[in-house]
Amino acid sequence: MAAGVLFGSLFALIGAIMEFVLIESLRTGEVSLRQEWSQRWRQGLRLFGFRIVIGLPMIVLFVGWVAFPSGWLGA
């Protein structure tokens, strides 16, 4: 399970960085992955961190919302 979470997190991080690479490539009309990656990785890391900060509380709330009525939290 930990390997799955690690793989998913790595995939999400790469995806966040590649979003900035895509936008820059569309803006300039030139595709240069290596150059754009080196320029945009910090922005992608911040986007990934923002998604984690916003996403984790939502997941916790949803799990609590589902677990409470179904009796997972003890009875």
Side-chain angles (χ1 to χ4, degrees):
M1 179 159 162
V5 170
L6 182 64
F7 180 72
S9 297
L10 182 63
F11 188 75
L13 175 61
I14 291 171
I17 296 169
M18 290 304 288
E19 286 182 41
F20 286 101
V21 171
L22 172 67
I23 297 299
E24 187 63 26
S25 295
L26 290 173
R27 189 180 71 79
T28 62
E30 297 177 15
V31 178
S32 174
L33 292 179
R34 193 173 299 163
Q35 179 183 1
E36 297 303 327
W37 180 281
S38 65
Q39 292 176 355
R40 303 291 177 194
W41 70 270
R42 287 183 187 95
Q43 290 175 320
L45 188 62
R46 285 196 308 252
L47 176 61
F48 175 72
F50 174 77
R51 288 179 177 166
I52 293 296
V53 167
I54 296 298
L56 280 180
M58 293 300 117
I59 290 171
V60 168
L61 285 173
F62 179 75
V63 168
W65 179 71
V66 170
F68 183 70
S70 62
W72 289 351
L73 296 177

